Amino acid sequence: MRRRTFFAALPLGLATAGSALSQEIYRNVGSGDRITGQPFAGRSTVWGSQGAAATAHPMATLIGIDTLRRGGSAIDAAIAINAALGFLEPVANGIGGDAFCLMWDPAQGRVVGLNGSGNSPMGLSLETARSRAVEGYLPRYGAVTVNVPGTVDAWWSAHQRYGKLPWADVLLPVAELCDRGVPVPQLIAFYLERNMANFLRPNAGVEETDNARRVFMPGGRTPREGEMFRNPDLARTYRMIAEGGRDAYYDGPIADHIESYFRRIGGWMTRADLAAHRTEWVDPLMSPYRGVDVYQLGPNTQGLSTLQLLNIVEQFDMPELGFQTADSIHVQAEAKRLAFEDRARWFADTRFAETPVEWLMSKEYARERAALIRMDRVMERAFPGDAPTQGDTTYFSVADADGMMVSWIQSNYRGMGSGLVPDGPDGATLGFMFQDRGELFNLRDGHPNVYAPGKRPFHTIIPGFACRDGQPWMAFGVMGGGMQPQGQSQIVINMTDYGLGPQEAGDAPRWQHYGSSEPTGQMAEGIGVLHLESGVPAEARAGLEAKGWTLGPPDGGFGGYQNVMRQVNPDGGWTYGAATEMRKDGLALAY
């Protein structure tokens, strides 16, 4: 039986990237020495008082800071950053995908949420979806995996509420960047090559690849590190959106091109599907963890898993268990296994299925689940609770001088998405790839996440937010399919239980567990595999093996982290501390 985990959402070759890119002559060489701070930190936190941005690409961070300095709000900066990343980091996101946001609204004095995920096409039936299945599951690529992209409407909805700059002024500088081009950084060059190889291999299931080749292989191959990459087709699309607003995409010329494209290749998306799409403003979920209020978006996302994981861990004395010890990692990984069985059983579009959210995130339920964890050995099998009636992603944080803090995540899901780049005007393309998020539907009758027309699939991407004493503390996130709840919880635990700063908390070695049951219907197989980064101490590894864990090597799948933290100082004012992921090409700046 084919194993369908969110580890499979990583590009081909990523699982062995660490070994492939680490030559023998570098083996056993550690990091340099730091005069202050924790020795495993790659750098210190960046501090500023007027604004901050942390993104997965240096140019996107610069665009965000420039937008703030031009008088834009944190939302203006977020839109500009996301648009820029759709060009700069096409392996992870773009306007063919969905978006989610948690943000601190200083006028209301509370955290608000935005669900920018789209529905499946109304013309795609469950029977047709099943006819395209591979071994009982929806395929990885192709038109059957494409849902209505929610990103552009999410930008528009957020800008209508919180934008300061004119809409066009936010997007046009990014369009100019697409025309001008940028050198490609190391990691994105690696992803581009692997992802395009996936789409072009025989029987990949992509209806056509000529458009993707034209955009991402303009010289017959993907650009290599340091080479220039341009996307004039995307620049033209951005200019249409800058001029016509969200309607240009959902009920105008772009929608017409999208409908014609899917008709040409035998897909199902129509202009009517696009025109019906609306972003949903939602009240986020919140659960306290040792004095910190942690916020997440509810289903159809997996945000509830972060809260469940933390609720279970809260039942243990983590400082007493120690930092990066076998006991500490054991408790966290077992909590993950328990939380993810509930995720597989219950999480779905709540417009179609009822999820017992309040029970699943209750402290009472967490105590019941924590009692299942034994400190001397791993659980033989984790089961979902008897409650009453997973990708490639970009994440960024941005904050402004007015106190607005934005936690934004956006994705095309597996690799670059479905492999499909739509036709554009004058024989060109629209310059972006559609997501393959529909792969995460279940095809089994009776499951909450079973496919249906007009339904949102289970979503892995989740922004994170945390408050202290009723005030915003940090807008943070960790990218990477099923790694996201695991990574977010590790950040909160590192900062709350172990006293690390935002940069140190992200640079600390991470763990990730694979092998839980999935919302697609795949059942857990044994205890799974616990992968550890190379910085985890040898004593901890030995202790985990003694408890019965099967350990895996570093595999490059430990996520991508960004954080903007707000610190209240003795004079009553605040400053922002920005942190970024040392595992990727990102940059954190503040001013």
Side-chain angles (χ1 to χ4, degrees), residues 42 108 131 188 213 217 277 297 318 413 442 470 474:
Q108 298 186 61
S131 73
I188 293 171
R213 290 173 189 261
M217 303 175 68
H277 175 75
L297 295 173
M318 298 305 288
Y413 187 50
N442 192 304
M474 58 180 182

Side-chain angles (χ1 to χ4, degrees), residues 176-259:
E176 294 172 5
L177 181 69
C178 296
D179 275 330
R180 187 169 65 249
V182 296
V184 177
Q186 183 182 75
L187 201 67
I188 293 171
F190 173 82
Y191 282 168
L192 272 172
E193 181 182 8
R194 298 314 192 269
N195 284 323
M196 289 304 299
N198 279 341
F199 298 139
L200 299 177
R201 74 179 190 274
N203 302 315
V206 185
E207 282 82 354
E208 70 86 24
T209 57
D210 288 345
N211 286 355
R213 290 173 189 261
R214 291 175 60 182
V215 174
F216 301 112
M217 303 175 68
R221 61 169 175 80
T222 57
R224 293 171 182 156
E225 181 181 359
E227 294 181 348
M228 293 293 291
F229 172 67
R230 300 174 179 85
N231 192 340
D233 290 353
L234 183 60
R236 176 158 53 177
T237 299
Y238 280 165
R239 290 189 176 100
M240 285 192 282
I241 297 170
E243 179 180 349
R246 59 89 60 199
D247 286 348
Y249 190 101
Y250 294 94
D251 202 15
I254 297 172
D256 288 336
H257 286 297
I258 291 173
E259 182 176 64

